Amino acid sequence: MSINQTEWIFLDGEWKRWQDATVHVTTHALHYGSAAFEGIRAYETETGPAIFRLGDHVRRLLQSCKVLRMPMAEYDQKRLEQVCVESIGRNDLRSGYIRPLVFRGAAGLGLNPLPAPVQVCVFAVEWGRYLGAEAIEQGVDAIVSSWRRFNAGTAVPLGKISGQYVTSQFVSLEARENGFGEGIMLDERGMVCEGAGENLFVVFGDT
């Protein structure tokens, strides 16, 4: 789904114009997926934009960084929350989607991530419903994917880590190639687990 460009992006302690917020092609995260991210919604209200569960999202981001052994001394909970809020205000958004991203930058090649610097980026954009404008009212056709959700012995489900989303891309592609709006993954036991890009909830009765 395409997004409209906004004006300001936070990158490594500075607010930069959209076109100036760039990284080098040798960036470690680009080659090896060494990054953590969050997707945070801000909704329009009568008193201004309201960010949904910002504190919980930032805590999970910091936990993911801990899993990846990316030190975040300069960016604690309060600082990251502040930047997320500012990303909405600076771009004059009444509602939007906030993407904080922490990644390993450029420092040569090789799987050892520790020599690569930790970089922090936050941007905010207008972005509609993930599965389409009518998804909530009309529902979405979904397929049970042939791809399985990885287990804790092969990856790290405790972290929202960029490199692990290749499987979700396969699920999404498979669904669309077969005429469906989304794919649902089973876990290694064959139990319903999650969608390619969302959690699953079951509603019983009217509650």
Side-chain angles (χ1 to χ4, degrees):
M1 183 184 296
S2 62
I3 56 174
N4 294 323
Q5 176 179 317
T6 48
E7 188 171 3
W8 295 101
I9 292 177
F10 180 88
L11 179 62
D12 296 333
E14 299 179 38
W15 288 98
K16 299 186 176 185
R17 301 285 182 179
W18 179 283
Q19 63 273 15
D20 297 326
T22 60
V23 297
H24 198 267
V25 294
T26 60
T27 293
H28 196 273
L30 181 62
H31 296 265
Y32 304 112
S34 48
F37 70 97
E38 283 294 324
I40 310 171
R41 290 281 183 174
Y43 296 99
E44 183 177 1
T45 74
E46 293 180 355
T47 57
I51 301 176
F52 180 70
R53 302 189 73 165
L54 175 60
D56 291 333
H57 281 286
V58 171
R59 273 188 288 275
R60 183 169 64 172
L61 177 63
L62 290 171
Q63 176 62 30
S64 297
C65 292
K66 185 177 181 181
V67 169
L68 283 169
R69 294 171 175 80
M70 294 194 298
M72 295 291 290
E74 296 182 31
Y75 295 94
D76 59 9
Q77 177 89 20
K78 182 178 179 180
R79 175 64 170 142
L80 288 172
E81 289 183 16
Q82 178 188 43
V83 174
C84 288
V85 171
E86 191 172 351
S87 70
I88 292 290
R90 275 185 176 264
N91 290 296
D92 196 27
L93 295 173
R94 292 181 295 179
S95 64
Y97 176 88
I98 306 167
R99 168 56 59 87
L101 174 71
V102 183
F103 60 97
R104 289 281 184 178
L109 297 175
L111 287 173
N112 177 16
L114 298 181
V118 175
Q119 297 186 245
V120 176
C121 168
V122 178
F123 64 85
V125 294
E126 292 181 352
W127 197 15
R129 293 175 178 174
Y130 181 68
L131 293 176
E134 296 81 26
I136 293 178
E137 292 81 7
Q138 298 181 12
V140 175
D141 291 330
I143 185 175
V144 175
S145 179
S146 63
W147 294 93
R148 294 291 179 99
R149 175 74 153 91
F150 55 78
N151 62 46
T154 57
V156 190
L158 290 177
K160 195 171 178 68
I161 297 169
S162 298
Q164 298 181 155
Y165 276 76
V166 172
T167 301
S168 293
Q169 293 178 50
F170 291 155
V171 173
S172 182
L173 286 169
E174 181 184 48
R176 282 155 179 77
E177 287 170 353
N178 286 280
F180 293 86
E182 185 61 304
I184 296 173
M185 283 184 281
L186 307 181
D187 63 16
E188 72 276 11
R189 302 168 298 168
M191 307 295 288
V192 173
C193 186
E194 63 182 4
E198 57 281 308
N199 296 318
L200 298 178
F201 298 87
V202 176
V203 178
F204 292 94
D206 298 326
T207 59

